[in-house]
Amino acid sequence: MDYQMVPSICPYCGVGCGVLLEVIDGKLAGTLPLKTHPNNEGKLCIKGWNLHEHVVSDNRLLFPLVKEEGRFREVAWDEAIEISAKRLKAIIEEFGPDSVGVLTSAKMTNEANYLIQKFSRAAIGTNNVDHCARL
Amino acid sequence: MNMMHEIVKEWLEQEKIDLFIGYKVVDGHPLPCFFTRENIDDVDNLVESKARYPLEKIAAKVYSTHPEMKIGILARDCNQRALNVLYVWNQLDPEKIETVGINCCPSPAREHADCSYLEREPSGPLKTLIGIENNLKPEQAEVYSQEERFKRWSYEFEKCIKCYGCRNICPVCFCKECSLEHSDLIKKGELPVEIPIFHLVRAVHMAGRCIDCGLCEDACPANIPLRLLYREVNQITARLFDYRAGTDSGQSPFSILGENVTLEPMSL
Amino acid sequence: MTNSMKEFEDSGCIFVIGSNTTETHPIIAGRIMTAKEKGAKLIVADPRNIHLAEFADIVVHHRLGSDVALLNGMMHVIVKNGWHDDKHIEERTEGFSDLEEVLEDYTPKKVEAITGVGCVDIERMAEMYAGNHPAALLYAMGITQHTTGVDNVKSCCNLAMLCGNVGVRSGGVNPLRGQSNVQGACDMGGLPNVFPGYQPVADQTANEKFSNAWGKALPERAGLTLTDMVKGMGDGRIKALCVFGENPKLSDPDSGHLDHVLKKLDFLLVQDLYMTETAADADVFFAGASVAEEDGTYTNTERRCMRGNKAIDPLGKALPDWDIICRLSSAMGYAMDYSCPEEIFDEMTSLTPSYGGMTYERLGINGLQWPCPGKDHPGTPYLHKDNFSRGKGKFHAVKYLDPDEMPDEDYPFFLTTGRMFSHYHTGTMTRVSPHLHSEQKSGYIEVSPKDAGDMMLNDGENVRVLSRRGQIEVPVKITSRVGEGLLFSPFHFRENPINRLTNPAFDPIAKIPEFKVCAVKLEKIAE
Ligand code: SF4
Ligand code: SF4
Ligand code: SF4
């Protein structure tokens, strides 16, 4: 029997309510408001209260896929990465780095966002990087 | 190490309990935490906590998957009352629960919820004018005429953002199928919620169950005086059936460290 | 936001324009209600009769897209009556006379003709906003998602500066961010023209700094915005697209067009949690981790950078987002070998002055609000306390322009889009959540009782909605939330993809499409 309450942040709207993720025996079991958090002081909206549900949903896709002849095939990470790198490199070589566009995410962490723009600018060599938050 | 730590360690070591549910401070925030025999030194970090979480609800979750576990709980008066309700409704087995009682309220002899956590900042002028002051006692709310009361409550209900937080945090809400989610009963997908049905359905369901811990009101983003609402309902239950949810006549006096609950659960 | 959420509880007046706060930012709505109960005045301006309006002292339903006119009208009245803050304007702003000149024209009468808001209401709003200091102005996508989005924002700033509400506690101009880390994505340089901390890519010093730090000469010319990328995909300039955690196929305007151009790509890479509409078109799909499965920081709408903590290991073979990017970058020949998010954070803070004083340890659970430039800087609850970031605050003389598309004989209805309380964005995260799904299972279009009566539509009946760009079918919801001639539909539902209809015309500067206004017609579907 293992039980953890892990403080985290609600991933939905820009309020960023403090939550406690309830983990029982390594499984995400529930969400509670963090009562002492300055943003929400122990309150959440319906989305925050149910945030564990989107994580444990059966609809999650939990492995990388590669499309071949119109159909997805499950692959190992190394293969997915290698194929992507190869295709991107070929396109950059032929059409230049500005033929690639990158969309970062307003839902991912700062660290991921930092890396994505660094990847675009340094690895690909383009400033064609934007996010969808205008939408 | 204080007396509370000693007792919990002793219970864990003597296998009187398998785990203890209390609080621990992480980055300045008290969080619910499990203390176990394997990690017994951690018990030194056990604190009473200024913030309250429904520890008994967490215990019931453990019980549902690990019914053999013997669980110790840090119990304020409200936790004690909630435990008693959960025993009555077979959500927990009193044989499996040991409590360390803490005296959290300032007054030595008190009614339900005459508790230091529940007194809120006085309401603003507008709320006093058209809504319901959260700190009112049921008798005080009775001075309004029927019509005015309805108006005032309607104003409060109108603020609801339908987070279901009042139900989710409530230690004695455990129904698998919740009436609040029956689309035949309450219209879905809209704000404001249907007034007054949404709140009345919940109030009625709290009759004879609500132990007046105030966690729902704490969790309500709209600051609706939910505790008062359920107290009113419970007064009716008390008057009609002479029943008070979660109270046991023989409960130990409110010492710093109480004994475990030894009472027979009351039947309805 | 210039200010913090908690401060609103002590505002003298809260002016909410273009934000359906109780549904999209419910916790902020709670603070607004508390403020109101404590004695603040509340003004709500929204084309729809939103939930928050029930609590307002003044509610106006201005015509879609007429925000600049409404705000100019308020300012006209304020200046006419001398309610503006002369001292503040004198000491801390510039450009007032230009604004004054433009305002001259916006008499309540003229504004009434444009916005449909009565002269008396315009005067009352002006008086209430100017007369209850400090006044906080809150807005959301209802202000920005217009071809005149930047003008709208400028007008909001004009109003706040005019009454001395910038740089004061409980006042300010406060955009409510729609997604958890929009603020962070922008701060981190997820934009075509700036590095992290808004340091321009074209600025030589900044470019050198980042080129040195990253060991590579970096491009100096600003890149394409999403809107321009879509164009580039159409004309073949963009050959490959990498999409991290977004679903533009459902969220973009005129999505039929996007559908078409995505197919033209040589290579589409999508990283997400689910098989989204966009992911279905991908050549390669990366399985990312959810918020509960990785460590990292998020920056909320009040600029508060906070830590999210990993609660469980990534499910299945999913990987943390940062890890995936490191692998991909390394495979492309640009090595990234970070061992944990904290290492990335520390590199970022060393290059980003406004985050410079932050460390994981300092953030703790409460986080810190930027700017936080030094190790002992306490963070900044509200901006511009003593000075504006660019020296003096500048008034912008802004004139009203019509939305790109107005109703006409062929397409007589105004259509606006947005969210509802239990769903979020394209629904990918919320529709898989049983409790959220059960609140609202399908899309709908709000129609006023009068229009529904005229067309003999029944509640729940499927109706066809057509714009110049496409058509969809969607169930009718008859409600007085919308007035005559106005329709509203949420964009969370793939079966009723309302963005097939919306207008991709965008703001020339911000490049934000006009989701909030387009012209459509309704057709009853013959039985
Ligand atoms: S709980 Fe609701 S209000 Fe809070 S961050 Fe999440 S979505 Fe926003
Ligand atoms: S006060 Fe509220 S949370 Fe506590 S038992 Fe009663 S209804 Fe439940
Ligand atoms: S906690 Fe308050 S706002 Fe949430 S559902 Fe209950 S009454 Fe409504």
Side-chain angles (χ1 to χ4, degrees):
Chain A
M1 171 79 219
D2 181 58
Y3 182 95
Q4 304 286 333
M5 277 280 190
V6 183
S8 195
I9 305 297
C10 172
Y12 288 109
C13 86
V15 174
C17 292
V19 296
L20 289 175
L21 301 174
E22 196 179 20
V23 185
I24 302 180
D25 293 330
K27 292 211 167 67
L28 194 60
T31 314
L32 280 172
L34 180 45
K35 297 198 79 160
T36 42
H37 199 279
N39 288 3
N40 51 314
E41 298 176 329
K43 303 146 195 350
L44 292 175
C45 80
I46 186 169
K47 293 184 285 283
W49 270 108
N50 295 295
L51 91 82
H52 55 285
E53 290 185 342
H54 91 273
V55 175
V56 298
S57 157
D58 290 340
N59 287 34
R60 280 284 298 278
L61 252 183
L62 298 170
F63 37 79
L65 299 171
V66 166
K67 199 180 265 163
E68 275 161 7
E69 288 162 11
R71 295 181 63 169
F72 278 121
R73 175 171 68 88
E74 186 185 337
V75 294
W77 272 107
D78 285 348
E79 193 181 341
I81 298 276
E82 204 176 300
I83 291 176
S84 307
K86 221 159 89 196
R87 300 275 302 265
L88 283 171
K89 272 200 292 197
I91 290 169
I92 295 168
E93 216 151 274
E94 193 176 346
F95 303 102
D98 285 336
S99 65
V100 183
V102 178
L103 296 181
T104 73
S105 171
K107 298 179 198 109
M108 285 183 185
T109 61
N110 287 330
E111 288 76 0
N113 272 289
Y114 174 80
L115 283 195
I116 292 169
Q117 58 90 32
K118 182 176 177 182
F119 165 75
S120 314
R121 298 189 157 116
I124 298 179
T126 180
N127 280 319
N128 289 346
V129 49
D130 201 3
H131 60 83
C132 288
R134 297 161 216 270
L135 313 178
Chain B
M1 200 161 79
N2 63 26
M3 208 154 75
M4 178 166 71
H5 298 154
E6 269 171 45
I7 292 196
V8 172
K9 278 191 181 173
E10 198 181 298
W11 285 1
L12 283 169
E13 271 160 2
Q14 292 171 356
E15 304 196 5
K16 190 171 174 181
I17 54 173
D18 299 316
L19 56 87
F20 187 83
I21 310 181
Y23 299 97
K24 179 171 150 178
V25 176
V26 178
D27 276 333
H29 294 256
L31 307 180
C33 179
F34 279 24
F35 299 88
T36 56
R37 205 168 300 124
E38 291 73 56
N39 201 356
I40 199 133
D41 288 339
D42 199 29
V43 173
D44 292 338
N45 298 318
L46 170 67
V47 293
E48 292 175 13
S49 170
K50 284 230 164 75
R52 297 176 304 144
Y53 288 87
L55 299 184
E56 54 289 319
K57 199 168 191 169
I58 297 171
K61 247 186 192 171
V62 174
Y63 178 69
S64 70
T65 51
H66 298 74
E68 73 293 345
M69 287 257 176
K70 285 175 289 183
I71 305 169
I73 286 193
L74 185 73
R76 296 183 156 83
D77 299 345
C78 49
N79 301 115
Q80 299 264 11
R81 296 194 302 269
L83 281 169
N84 290 333
V85 171
L86 293 173
Y87 300 152
V88 173
W89 294 84
N90 287 322
Q91 300 296 309
L92 270 178
D93 178 359
E95 301 283 313
K96 293 275 165 35
I97 301 288
E98 302 287 340
T99 57
V100 173
I102 47 168
N103 187 355
C104 60
C105 308
S107 65
R110 61 207 166 273
E111 272 281 278
H112 272 194
D114 246 347
C115 149
S116 48
Y117 291 92
L118 299 174
E119 192 76 9
R120 327 193 119 236
E121 254 179 65
S123 302
L126 183 79
K127 188 161 163 119
T128 319
L129 199 66
I130 64 169
I132 304 238
E133 158 78 47
N134 290 52
N135 291 331
L136 287 191
K137 301 219 164 15
E139 339 37 290
Q140 292 171 302
E142 274 167 20
V143 303
Y144 301 131
S145 71
Q146 197 100 13
E147 192 190 347
E148 184 170 3
R149 252 167 153 196
F150 182 76
K151 262 219 221 104
R152 284 175 181 264
W153 276 113
S154 298
Y155 162 76
E156 295 289 346
F157 296 159
E158 183 93 39
K159 291 188 293 182
C160 174
I161 55 147
K162 214 177 189 193
C163 65
Y164 294 96
C166 44
R167 175 203 63 188
N168 296 347
I169 200 130
C170 176
V172 296
C173 263
F174 44 73
C175 303
K176 285 242 150 58
E177 285 197 12
C178 172
S179 307
L180 295 177
E181 292 182 41
H182 270 275
S183 48
D184 307 344
L185 211 55
I186 298 162
K187 208 163 165 215
K188 293 219 160 189
E190 258 176 35
L191 287 184
V193 291
E194 249 188 294
I195 295 169
I197 294 294
F198 182 85
H199 295 90
L200 289 195
V201 166
R202 178 154 155 80
V204 167
H205 282 227
M206 283 300 108
R209 238 209 272 187
C210 168
I211 49 88
D212 205 12
C213 66
L215 285 180
C216 50
E217 195 169 310
D218 272 353
C220 179
N223 198 19
I224 302 172
L226 296 170
R227 204 166 55 91
L228 174 61
L229 179 67
Y230 308 143
R231 285 176 106 178
E232 294 217 33
V233 176
N234 260 312
Q235 279 202 340
I236 300 171
T237 340
R239 250 180 258 144
L240 288 182
F241 303 107
D242 195 22
Y243 177 78
R244 280 173 173 274
T247 317
D248 346 84
S249 42
Q251 189 169 348
S252 60
F254 304 107
S255 51
I256 301 283
L257 289 168
E259 277 302 320
N260 46 320
V261 179
T262 51
L263 303 151
E264 287 282 307
M266 271 171 113
S267 63
L268 263 175
Chain C
M1 299 195 322
T2 58
N3 292 60
S4 301
M5 298 182 287
K6 175 104 182 130
E7 292 173 20
F8 300 149
E9 289 187 7
D10 302 315
S11 297
C13 173
I14 297 180
F15 178 22
V16 179
I17 180 164
S19 157
N20 183 6
T21 327
T22 56
E23 301 208 44
T24 58
H25 298 86
I27 296 301
I28 292 183
R31 300 241 188 249
I32 297 174
M33 291 172 190
T34 306
K36 176 83 181 71
E37 289 180 346
K38 281 166 107 173
K41 300 288 181 210
L42 176 62
I43 307 170
V44 172
D46 200 285
R48 295 164 69 213
N49 190 24
I50 54 173
H51 181 197
L52 190 67
E54 323 253 358
F55 308 97
D57 294 282
I58 301 176
V59 184
V60 298
H61 305 300
H62 55 304
R63 207 214 59 223
L64 272 191
S66 64
D67 307 80
V68 168
L70 183 69
L71 292 163
N72 276 354
M74 284 174 71
M75 287 187 270
H76 175 101
V77 175
I78 290 170
V79 173
K80 268 267 135 61
N81 289 288
W83 294 330
H84 51 288
D85 184 342
D86 272 328
K87 188 162 170 281
H88 182 91
I89 294 169
E90 171 90 6
E91 287 171 3
R92 306 206 32 202
T93 67
E94 59 192 30
F96 179 58
S97 52
D98 297 345
L99 175 71
E100 222 178 349
E101 208 171 289
V102 167
L103 292 182
E104 193 59 42
D105 225 19
Y106 289 82
T107 59
K109 221 162 154 215
K110 175 175 169 179
V111 173
E112 176 171 349
I114 302 173
T115 61
V117 176
C119 296
V120 182
D121 280 337
I122 295 166
E123 277 162 11
R124 282 175 61 220
M125 284 166 80
E127 189 175 0
M128 193 171 276
Y129 178 85
N132 294 282
H133 197 76
L137 192 155
L138 276 59
Y139 68 81
M141 296 304 199
I143 282 291
T144 52
Q145 289 177 339
H146 291 281
T147 45
T148 57
V150 170
D151 287 351
N152 292 352
V153 172
K154 283 180 179 161
S155 297
C156 291
C157 296
N158 285 345
L159 177 63
M161 289 194 299
L162 188 66
C163 296
N165 279 317
V166 179
V168 293
R169 196 177 175 277
S170 305
V173 182
N174 302 284
L176 309 182
R177 306 286 183 183
Q179 301 189 53
S180 57
N181 205 26
V182 180
Q183 184 67 53
C186 297
D187 296 349
M188 291 304 110
L191 293 165
N193 57 342
V194 290
F195 291 120
Y198 307 96
Q199 305 172 64
V201 291
D203 179 90
Q204 216 181 346
T205 332
N207 199 293
E208 255 168 43
K209 170 171 133 185
F210 280 90
S211 295
N212 288 336
W214 296 348
K216 182 117 187 225
L218 302 172
E220 282 174 20
R221 199 160 44 99
L224 303 178
T225 61
L226 169 56
T227 313
D228 290 331
M229 283 186 218
V230 174
K231 251 201 237 145
M233 284 161 14
D235 60 28
R237 271 180 304 146
I238 295 284
K239 301 284 183 196
L241 190 68
C242 307
V243 182
F244 293 94
E246 295 286 353
N247 185 16
K249 234 172 117 172
L250 212 54
S251 63
D252 269 37
D254 192 6
S255 50
H257 176 65
L258 190 71
D259 227 9
H260 171 72
V261 297
L262 276 180
K263 296 215 164 67
K264 291 176 119 182
L265 286 171
D266 286 353
F267 183 64
L268 175 63
L269 170 69
V270 175
Q271 175 169 332
D272 212 299
L273 303 177
Y274 319 95
M275 183 47 67
T276 63
E277 290 70 22
T278 311
D281 282 351
D283 295 290
V284 176
F285 174 86
F286 287 170
S290 73
V291 62
E293 296 156 319
E294 65 179 325
D295 287 326
T297 59
Y298 302 85
T299 305
N300 80 344
T301 188
E302 53 174 14
R303 299 166 280 104
R304 187 190 294 274
C305 178
M306 301 173 292
R307 280 169 69 183
N309 296 302
K310 177 174 149 178
I312 53 171
D313 285 330
L315 300 173
K317 292 191 188 141
L319 285 177
D321 301 324
W322 63 270
D323 192 1
I324 300 175
I325 299 150
C326 288
R327 290 177 191 218
L328 179 62
S329 185
S330 302
M332 298 216 8
Y334 182 77
M336 286 191 187
D337 46 6
Y338 302 94
S339 59
C340 62
E342 189 171 2
E343 211 180 312
I344 304 167
F345 189 80
D346 290 343
E347 175 182 316
M348 181 277 288
T349 55
S350 74
L351 293 166
T352 312
S354 51
Y355 281 74
M358 298 184 192
T359 60
Y360 268 25
E361 197 188 330
R362 277 199 76 199
L363 292 181
I365 285 178
N366 290 356
L368 283 165
Q369 285 171 283
W370 67 255
C372 172
K375 293 281 177 249
D376 39 21
H377 191 284
T380 310
Y382 61 94
L383 294 177
H384 313 310
K385 188 168 174 207
D386 302 309
N387 62 309
F388 287 92
S389 37
R390 52 179 303 281
K392 285 193 165 184
K394 185 163 170 38
F395 282 107
H396 293 268
V398 179
K399 290 188 183 147
Y400 165 74
L401 295 171
D402 272 342
D404 182 67
E405 188 178 57
M406 294 287 273
D408 52 24
E409 253 167 50
D410 296 331
Y411 296 91
F413 285 97
F414 266 126
L415 170 72
T416 190
T417 64
R419 297 183 181 173
M420 55 89 55
F421 80 99
S422 73
H423 286 290
Y424 172 74
H425 221 56
T426 65
T428 53
M429 291 159 81
T430 51
R431 295 191 79 197
V432 301
S433 170
H435 279 98
L436 302 179
H437 175 64
S438 86
E439 280 297 326
Q440 183 67 45
K441 295 181 178 161
S442 75
Y444 57 87
I445 189 159
E446 293 184 354
V447 182
S448 70
K450 167 85 170 49
D451 290 328
D454 288 351
M455 293 188 61
M456 294 193 298
L457 297 173
N458 295 314
D459 205 50
E461 158 179 355
N462 255 338
V463 68
R464 190 172 297 124
V465 194
L466 305 91
S467 80
R468 291 188 172 82
R469 291 152 295 276
Q471 54 168 291
I472 63 163
E473 286 182 12
V474 55
V476 168
K477 183 168 190 169
I478 301 175
T479 167
S480 47
R481 283 265 177 259
V482 289
E484 224 181 303
L486 179 62
L487 308 170
F488 165 84
S489 181
F491 63 102
H492 315 296
F493 304 92
R494 72 179 75 89
E495 310 83 274
N496 320 98
I498 198 74
N499 279 327
R500 289 262 165 83
L501 311 181
T502 46
N503 187 355
F506 53 84
D507 183 279
I509 299 163
K511 309 278 166 114
I512 301 180
E514 191 145 64
F515 287 103
K516 295 296 181 200
V517 197
C518 74
V520 298
K521 66 178 159 193
L522 280 185
E523 270 176 21
K524 200 172 163 78
I525 299 172
E527 273 158 44

